[in-house]
Amino acid sequence: MSRDELVGVARGEVPADLVITNGRLVNVYSGEIYSASLAIRGDRIAAIGDVGYTVGAETELIDAGGHYLCPGLIDGHIHLGGSQLSMTEFARAVVPHGTTAISTDFYEIGVVAGRKAIRFALEELKATPIKVLFNIPPHAYLGHGALGNTNSISTEDVFEMLGWPECTGLAEWNVFVASIPAPGVRELTETAREKRMLLGGHFGDVSSAMANATAAIGIYSEHEAMSAEEALDRLRLGVHIQAREGSAGRDLRHVVKAITELGVDSRHFSYSTDEQEADSLVLDGHVDHKIRTAIRCGVSPMTAIQMATINAAEYFRISDDMGSVGPGKIADILLVDDLAEFNVTQVIANGKVVARDGKYVGEPKTPAYPGYFYNTIKIAGVTVPEDFAVKSPASSDGTASVRVIGVNEGSLVTEDRHFDLPVRGGNVQPDPGRDILKIAILDRYEASGRIGKAFVQGFRIKAGAIGSSFNPGQMNLMVAGTNDRDMSVVANRIAELGGGYVVARDGKILGELPLPLLGLFAEEPAERVVERLQGINQAIATELGSDFPGLHTSVAFVCLAVSIPTLKVCDRGLADVRVMEIVDMFL
Amino acid sequence: MSRDELVGVARGEVPADLVITNGRLVNVYSGEIYSASLAIRGDRIAAIGDVGYTVGAETELIDAGGHYLCPGLIDGHIHLGGSQLSMTEFARAVVPHGTTAISTDFYEIGVVAGRKAIRFALEELKATPIKVLFNIPPHAYLGHGALGNTNSISTEDVFEMLGWPECTGLAEWNVFVASIPAPGVRELTETAREKRMLLGGHFGDVSSAMANATAAIGIYSEHEAMSAEEALDRLRLGVHIQAREGSAGRDLRHVVKAITELGVDSRHFSYSTDEQEADSLVLDGHVDHKIRTAIRCGVSPMTAIQMATINAAEYFRISDDMGSVGPGKIADILLVDDLAEFNVTQVIANGKVVARDGKYVGEPKTPAYPGYFYNTIKIAGVTVPEDFAVKSPASSDGTASVRVIGVNEGSLVTEDRHFDLPVRGGNVQPDPGRDILKIAILDRYEASGRIGKAFVQGFRIKAGAIGSSFNPGQMNLMVAGTNDRDMSVVANRIAELGGGYVVARDGKILGELPLPLLGLFAEEPAERVVERLQGINQAIATELGSDFPGLHTSVAFVCLAVSIPTLKVCDRGLADVRVMEIVDMFL
């Protein structure tokens, strides 16, 4: 879009392509709401206010009918792997909810298939109405060794990606990560800082001294705050808070109390998703859902909308392009019929109508995926139940004292819990009566037959097994269940599908979602993915007995052996994140 | 400063260099005030909060004694020529008031002596505690031709300066300026935008269509708003408001009503000075004075301080370095004993104490100026009174109908006024009885003898003449007075001094301030400059009869023939800014 044409429209010398009349402008820049019209030329806004003079013979007119006009919504931190949707289908799912920009890393893709696959996905997403703020979480690729990396991406790759025009900087960064003794990690931090790129943070539950240290190296955002107090502590250090609301980390309701109860300046708050499952994205919503949640928690609609727009845009230093509705900005505009309910009725992105009444307009074209996106689950042949046995060190019947991964609903932080578990035939048994499952991680890259095993408490599964090929860290093949037979059935079926989510009980598959693209993404449309997830979740609820919300994401994060405390599991066995080591499960 | 050392201090492994205890932190980032201590290492803050653990044997301790701890203050838009002080003396004058960063252009220097002189001044200022955000006003150098440029700086020079690491972008930019048909002007805008540099604006009193057009080309700041309504109009377009409070443009009190009365979000407001005379800088204060003024106008102390710190830093996208007090930020910290009075008692810049109780600590070293800084006033020999005569077109006695430049106190905008002026001996006379002076601009570059003349109303001078070699636009030699004899005396003395401010009456010099450096800056210390200015102002008040505040700056702006409406004067004669042409003074 030539700026000359914008100037021409503003001066009444060139007609607008699109004029939206009769709207109530939510001006997040001035903090006001007032009646206004907008003139758009190409992909940008040319003028706001009384713009009748910009209408020409060819100008398309949209009567907003008194609806609110809001800027497009920005997700400050999302990993797309958790959605099970291809890039195209992700866009088709969230654009009708008003999302027009996301900050994301494609790291699951990078972990499985390297830099070229990230580039492919980035191009796929860029072909949709969504603007991509690309960031790099180097620790996902470097320096964690066998517990956390797949060696799919080298230091050179990371430096290369840092130079991509879409790249805003590094992410998930903190003092621990910045001091990983991997080649290039120190230089990465310095290079990003010199280029004035953003160092996105992942503070976690750290001491005041460590939080100060993390801010001192220049990390000025945090999406891991889980309470108002934690948010306040970071905020006081000059750290922008991305309040998280995803399938497993549902921190927003707590974090916004810093605004509603502690009364701090709200401008340095925005939203993040981290991970959100497809059914929730489609049915609950995406950033619009976070706005509604914030408003329900007592945040004013203006502030809740500013968090999703201008606050995020100013943090990412892209406020000259997006985050508000004004001349010169990209024409990403939502029509919203009620501010408190934040019901998006129409979405304009890059100056074009892309969604109406919750439906995507037109059919986005899914690209032909390269061959290396398929058949990526490589395990050592078909498993048998015995592969999942956990031998007791005493090798006799009775009980064994075991360190168990303790899970709490709504949090990604696990606990180090200790239980005496029953031993039968020399094998330690899960104990569904005390909500303790067995969990196993199978190497999917080298067909090595390597299986790491542990016990986990808290998922409320009473029978059968679940499994998936999506789990942060290494994206290995994970199964969890009450018995080895169902775990083996699930593992074999996931391998057969080339990736997916599978639920089984009594040797029978009860539901499945094939994820043939890198073992991470469905090839089916979002609606079908949602149906399958609903089928799976129904089976888990009725046949496996669990009502744990965000179950898939929560189980997946138990496999992230190098980040977010405390006990985790990977294909090498039980891991303690505090020491970044494999530990003995037996006490 | 190595970030490792900062991390070491925060983690308690390396001692702090300086710890400030017992302060009340004005946390502009969170919008809170609370008790806190700070640990500093080198030039940056390492930790805030309870930092006793960072004190080592060598750590310097400052007991803040309950004083407030504020971030260093940022001036978003100042031209230094108006201060009459060398860069070093400017710093010595404003640092004790809490200024630690300014956005400036050195344009007067560039107009007189070109790019190398700008570089020299930039280095001089960088050697002080002040951080410099350098910007370029291309129209000051390009495209205005004989009315406005001195050809001291080429298009190539401007592109070269755009690449300097200190450069933040272009300034004083708008649709008119961006469309100047000078070589390179269009490319300058595009290059700056591509490099994501800032396009600082100068909207002025324009129509809604033109304001939209100016925002549409990506100009997102405005320091010319003169009322709350004008500020609101710009703000609604997504334009950051730099509320001006200088010697001539005193708009802050009006502009802040947008916050106090219209209730808009204050985060996109900061301060600008434009031009401020040395005596006012030293005695009234600099950004601290703007904070006090805003508070007196009903702005809360937190908001008034945010405007001078985090708001400006976020606009300039330097908030990772300055604008708040937090770990990782440059240690620019003020001790303030009372928030509403905003009395700065101590200034720490780059981690060092640089001012106490209004006094600069130590003696900053003035550099040796290059030879081309001296003897820059080149006029065609000594003037005689007859050189200043204005011939009447009728060339007979009686009256002549003349267009007169009309000046209003507190505004840089002039009016096009019409008067019948007395003619004696064929020459049109000033009319002190109706407050109409003669004003003349002498070419100082080519010794051409070119003198532009006009009449000006509003300065309340009843006798004698004033003059100076500082005046925005071309920095020619300006004299204004009630009679040709005193005007000639003043012009000759300024030329003799190699530049300066001079006041005379009845053929006698009543006061003078030599400005031997480029005809713009004094070589004397700030205190002596203030004394001289006070002497000059005293003479103007008692002998010339004028109490016009900000007189020097206001007169100077009457010579800016290419910007800010309406009538102006340059060495070519009376100019009309609306048409950018020399016009006949006779109606």
Side-chain angles (χ1 to χ4, degrees):
Chain A
M1 177 73 261
S2 147
R3 295 276 176 161
D4 290 342
E5 289 185 32
L6 295 183
V7 169
V9 172
R11 300 180 71 164
E13 297 158 0
V14 172
D17 290 333
L18 171 63
V19 164
I20 307 175
T21 58
N22 195 20
R24 302 197 66 205
L25 181 61
V26 179
N27 192 322
V28 295
Y29 196 85
S30 68
E32 302 172 292
I33 297 172
Y34 53 88
S35 297
S37 297
L38 307 177
I40 293 163
R41 175 88 184 178
D43 62 352
R44 289 192 185 255
I45 300 165
I48 68 172
D50 179 11
V51 300
Y53 68 93
T54 69
V55 176
E58 309 284 306
T59 304
E60 184 187 350
L61 292 172
I62 294 179
D63 183 341
H67 282 201
Y68 295 92
L69 305 178
C70 291
L73 308 181
I74 303 169
D75 187 337
H77 184 84
I78 181 170
H79 306 290
L80 298 176
S83 78
Q84 304 97 22
L85 299 172
S86 71
M87 303 302 110
T88 309
E89 288 300 312
F90 172 80
R92 219 166 57 82
V94 303
V95 166
H97 287 288
T99 305
T100 54
I102 66 172
S103 172
T104 195
D105 56 8
F106 307 99
Y107 94 93
E108 305 92 341
I109 294 172
V111 162
V112 173
R115 190 183 84 198
K116 66 180 184 305
I118 293 180
R119 189 71 235 177
F120 188 92
L122 179 51
E123 294 297 337
E124 180 181 353
L125 194 52
K126 280 177 67 181
T128 76
I130 292 180
K131 265 68 71 181
V132 187
L133 306 166
F134 172 61
N135 60 62
I136 305 168
H139 68 296
Y141 312 126
L142 307 175
H144 284 325
L147 267 65
N149 301 137
T150 60
N151 300 320
S152 55
I153 287 196
S154 66
T155 307
E156 269 180 16
D157 286 328
V158 173
F159 274 100
E160 158 84 21
M161 294 192 294
L162 204 64
W164 288 357
E166 301 87 352
C167 187
T168 60
L170 306 177
E172 309 280 6
W173 219 222
N174 59 32
V175 170
F176 292 122
V177 173
S179 61
I180 288 173
V185 167
R186 161 183 288 274
E187 291 74 17
L188 266 175
T189 316
E190 283 165 15
T191 303
R193 207 190 287 114
E194 273 162 27
K195 293 173 85 169
R196 302 193 71 82
M197 301 179 90
L198 297 167
L199 298 178
H202 173 128
F203 284 65
D205 178 26
V206 295
S207 67
S208 166
M210 281 304 294
N212 265 294
T214 300
I217 55 169
I219 291 165
Y220 294 134
S221 72
E222 161 70 317
H223 64 274
E224 297 281 342
M226 296 198 288
S227 65
E229 292 68 29
E230 213 169 88
L232 179 65
D233 182 75
R234 307 293 178 266
L235 188 75
R236 285 180 165 186
L237 301 179
V239 172
H240 179 97
I241 304 299
Q242 296 170 322
R244 177 168 57 189
E245 187 69 10
S247 286
R250 297 194 303 280
D251 308 309
L252 177 60
R253 62 207 68 194
H254 309 300
V255 168
V256 295
K257 288 181 185 161
I259 299 169
T260 57
E261 294 181 9
L262 307 179
V264 299
D265 195 330
S266 64
R267 73 167 108 165
H268 299 116
F269 287 78
S270 60
Y271 300 106
S272 74
T273 297
D274 235 3
E275 310 274 355
Q276 192 174 0
E277 298 167 17
D279 51 344
S280 171
L281 280 173
V282 169
L283 303 173
D284 300 330
H286 183 209
V287 185
D288 59 329
H289 173 65
K290 303 181 212 303
I291 291 174
R292 287 189 289 272
T293 303
I295 293 171
R296 274 202 301 273
C297 292
V299 177
S300 76
M302 176 58 76
T303 297
I305 296 167
Q306 285 178 322
M307 288 172 65
T309 55
I310 189 75
N311 295 10
E314 292 188 341
Y315 169 70
F316 285 108
R317 300 181 188 151
I318 51 169
S319 57
D320 43 356
D321 278 333
M322 54 189 98
S324 63
V325 172
K329 309 290 198 291
I330 295 171
D332 290 346
I333 298 154
L334 317 182
L335 272 64
V336 174
D337 65 2
D338 177 279
L339 270 205
E341 288 301 317
F342 206 80
N343 180 38
V344 177
T345 59
Q346 198 164 153
V347 180
I348 289 134
N350 305 314
K352 303 271 176 272
V353 176
V354 292
R356 266 196 209 98
D357 299 323
K359 296 290 171 206
Y360 200 89
V361 172
E363 277 304 313
K365 197 168 144 25
T366 299
Y369 295 99
Y372 65 84
F373 266 56
Y374 297 92
N375 302 313
T376 62
I377 306 293
K378 291 163 187 147
I379 63 170
V382 175
T383 70
V384 295
E386 291 69 29
D387 293 334
F388 296 88
V390 174
K391 297 278 168 229
S392 168
S395 78
S396 64
D397 286 6
T399 62
S401 288
V402 174
R403 295 175 74 174
V404 171
I405 303 166
V407 171
N408 290 309
E409 187 185 321
S411 168
L412 298 178
V413 175
T414 63
E415 294 175 0
D416 183 354
R417 296 178 188 162
H418 299 172
F419 288 96
D420 287 335
L421 292 182
V423 179
R424 277 199 296 275
N427 294 327
V428 185
Q429 304 296 321
D431 188 350
R434 288 186 289 174
D435 193 16
I436 298 172
L437 304 178
K438 191 187 286 176
I439 184 166
I441 312 294
L442 289 72
D443 161 47
R444 63 167 272 192
Y445 294 100
E446 300 170 352
S448 64
R450 196 163 50 241
I451 306 184
K453 298 160 197 168
F455 292 91
V456 60
Q457 185 188 44
F459 288 127
R460 310 202 279 265
I461 287 175
K462 292 168 190 68
I466 63 170
S468 92
S469 50
F470 160 72
N471 42 80
Q474 296 171 302
M475 308 293 153
N476 273 315
L477 200 171
M478 177 279 302
V479 286
T482 64
N483 66 88
D484 296 346
R485 179 183 166 215
D486 286 331
M487 289 173 73
S488 177
V489 164
V490 166
N492 292 339
R493 181 59 183 158
I494 291 172
E496 200 170 55
L497 291 170
Y501 281 34
V502 173
V503 180
R505 177 176 167 175
D506 302 331
K508 194 182 147 209
I509 306 287
L510 301 177
E512 62 184 32
L513 167 63
L515 300 174
L517 299 169
L518 302 173
L520 299 171
F521 303 107
E523 281 202 294
E524 297 172 314
E527 296 81 351
R528 181 69 187 125
V529 173
V530 170
E531 278 174 18
R532 284 187 180 272
L533 275 172
Q534 287 177 318
I536 285 172
N537 291 337
Q538 179 72 10
I540 290 172
T542 58
E543 302 291 322
L544 274 57
S546 175
D547 58 355
F548 192 98
L551 176 66
H552 306 292
T553 305
S554 290
V555 179
F557 269 89
V558 167
C559 311
L560 178 57
V562 291
S563 182
I564 312 179
T566 303
L567 287 187
K568 300 292 183 74
V569 59
C570 69
D571 64 343
R572 310 274 167 174
L574 184 68
D576 187 332
V577 171
R578 295 167 294 191
V579 292
M580 295 278 185
E581 275 176 15
I582 297 296
V583 294
D584 195 341
M585 76 162 77
F586 297 105
L587 290 157
Chain B
M1 178 73 261
S2 147
R3 296 274 176 164
D4 291 341
E5 289 185 32
L6 296 183
V7 169
V9 172
R11 299 180 72 164
E13 296 158 359
V14 173
D17 290 333
L18 171 64
V19 165
I20 306 174
T21 59
N22 195 19
R24 303 198 66 203
L25 180 62
V26 179
N27 193 321
V28 295
Y29 196 86
S30 69
E32 302 172 292
I33 297 172
Y34 52 88
S35 297
S37 297
L38 306 177
I40 293 163
R41 175 91 184 176
D43 63 350
R44 290 193 184 253
I45 300 165
I48 67 173
D50 179 11
V51 300
Y53 68 93
T54 69
V55 176
E58 309 284 306
T59 303
E60 183 187 351
L61 292 173
I62 293 179
D63 183 342
H67 282 201
Y68 295 93
L69 305 178
C70 292
L73 308 181
I74 303 169
D75 187 337
H77 183 84
I78 181 170
H79 306 290
L80 297 178
S83 78
Q84 303 99 18
L85 299 173
S86 71
M87 302 303 109
T88 308
E89 288 300 313
F90 172 79
R92 220 165 57 82
V94 303
V95 165
H97 286 289
T99 305
T100 53
I102 66 171
S103 172
T104 196
D105 56 9
F106 306 99
Y107 94 93
E108 305 92 342
I109 294 173
V111 162
V112 173
R115 190 184 84 199
K116 65 179 184 305
I118 293 180
R119 189 70 235 176
F120 187 91
L122 180 51
E123 293 297 338
E124 180 181 352
L125 194 52
K126 280 176 68 181
T128 76
I130 292 180
K131 265 69 71 181
V132 187
L133 306 166
F134 172 62
N135 60 61
I136 305 168
H139 67 296
Y141 312 126
L142 307 176
H144 283 326
L147 268 65
N149 300 136
T150 60
N151 301 320
S152 55
I153 287 197
S154 66
T155 307
E156 269 180 16
D157 286 328
V158 173
F159 274 100
E160 158 84 20
M161 294 192 294
L162 204 64
W164 287 356
E166 301 87 352
C167 187
T168 60
L170 305 177
E172 309 280 7
W173 218 221
N174 59 32
V175 169
F176 292 121
V177 174
S179 60
I180 289 173
V185 167
R186 161 183 288 274
E187 292 73 17
L188 266 176
T189 317
E190 282 165 15
T191 303
R193 206 190 287 114
E194 272 162 28
K195 294 173 85 169
R196 303 192 71 82
M197 300 179 92
L198 297 167
L199 298 178
H202 173 128
F203 285 63
D205 180 25
V206 295
S207 67
S208 167
M210 279 306 294
N212 265 293
T214 299
I217 56 168
I219 291 165
Y220 294 135
S221 71
E222 161 69 317
H223 65 272
E224 297 281 341
M226 297 197 288
S227 66
E229 293 67 29
E230 213 169 88
L232 179 66
D233 183 76
R234 307 292 178 268
L235 187 75
R236 285 179 166 186
L237 302 178
V239 173
H240 179 98
I241 304 299
Q242 296 169 324
R244 177 167 58 189
E245 187 69 11
S247 286
R250 296 193 303 280
D251 309 309
L252 176 61
R253 63 206 69 193
H254 309 300
V255 167
V256 294
K257 287 181 186 161
I259 300 170
T260 57
E261 294 180 10
L262 308 179
V264 300
D265 195 330
S266 64
R267 73 167 109 166
H268 299 115
F269 287 78
S270 60
Y271 301 106
S272 73
T273 297
D274 236 1
E275 309 273 356
Q276 190 173 0
E277 299 167 17
D279 51 344
S280 170
L281 280 173
V282 169
L283 303 174
D284 300 330
H286 182 209
V287 185
D288 58 330
H289 173 64
K290 303 179 211 305
I291 292 174
R292 286 188 291 271
T293 303
I295 293 171
R296 273 201 302 274
C297 292
V299 177
S300 76
M302 175 59 74
T303 298
I305 297 167
Q306 285 179 321
M307 287 172 66
T309 56
I310 189 75
N311 295 10
E314 293 188 340
Y315 169 69
F316 285 107
R317 299 181 188 151
I318 51 168
S319 56
D320 42 356
D321 278 333
M322 54 189 100
S324 63
V325 173
K329 308 292 198 290
I330 295 171
D332 290 345
I333 298 154
L334 317 181
L335 272 63
V336 174
D337 65 1
D338 177 280
L339 272 204
E341 288 302 319
F342 207 79
N343 179 37
V344 177
T345 59
Q346 199 163 152
V347 179
I348 289 134
N350 304 314
K352 303 270 177 272
V353 176
V354 292
R356 267 195 209 97
D357 299 324
K359 297 290 170 205
Y360 200 88
V361 172
E363 278 303 314
K365 197 169 146 22
T366 299
Y369 295 98
Y372 65 83
F373 266 56
Y374 297 91
N375 303 313
T376 62
I377 306 293
K378 291 163 187 149
I379 62 171
V382 174
T383 69
V384 293
E386 291 68 30
D387 293 333
F388 297 89
V390 174
K391 298 276 168 231
S392 168
S395 77
S396 63
D397 286 5
T399 62
S401 288
V402 174
R403 295 175 74 174
V404 171
I405 303 167
V407 171
N408 291 308
E409 188 184 320
S411 168
L412 299 179
V413 175
T414 64
E415 294 174 1
D416 182 355
R417 295 179 189 161
H418 299 173
F419 288 96
D420 287 335
L421 292 182
V423 179
R424 277 200 297 274
N427 294 328
V428 186
Q429 304 297 320
D431 188 350
R434 288 186 289 176
D435 193 15
I436 298 172
L437 303 179
K438 191 187 286 175
I439 184 165
I441 312 294
L442 290 72
D443 160 45
R444 63 167 273 194
Y445 294 99
E446 300 170 353
S448 63
R450 199 163 48 240
I451 306 183
K453 297 162 199 166
F455 291 91
V456 60
Q457 184 187 47
F459 288 127
R460 310 203 278 264
I461 288 176
K462 292 165 190 69
I466 63 169
S468 92
S469 51
F470 160 73
N471 42 80
Q474 295 171 300
M475 308 294 152
N476 274 314
L477 201 171
M478 177 280 302
V479 286
T482 63
N483 66 88
D484 296 346
R485 178 182 167 217
D486 286 332
M487 288 173 74
S488 176
V489 164
V490 166
N492 292 340
R493 181 60 184 158
I494 292 172
E496 200 171 54
L497 291 170
Y501 282 35
V502 173
V503 180
R505 178 176 166 176
D506 302 330
K508 194 180 148 212
I509 306 287
L510 301 178
E512 62 184 31
L513 167 62
L515 301 175
L517 300 169
L518 302 174
L520 298 172
F521 303 107
E523 280 201 297
E524 297 173 314
E527 296 81 353
R528 180 72 187 122
V529 172
V530 171
E531 276 172 20
R532 285 187 179 272
L533 275 171
Q534 287 178 319
I536 285 172
N537 291 338
Q538 178 71 10
I540 291 170
T542 58
E543 303 292 321
L544 274 58
S546 176
D547 59 354
F548 192 96
L551 176 65
H552 306 291
T553 306
S554 290
V555 179
F557 269 90
V558 167
C559 312
L560 178 58
V562 291
S563 182
I564 312 179
T566 303
L567 288 187
K568 300 293 183 73
V569 59
C570 69
D571 64 343
R572 309 275 167 174
L574 184 68
D576 187 332
V577 171
R578 294 167 295 191
V579 292
M580 295 279 184
E581 275 176 16
I582 297 296
V583 293
D584 195 340
M585 77 162 76
F586 297 105
L587 290 157

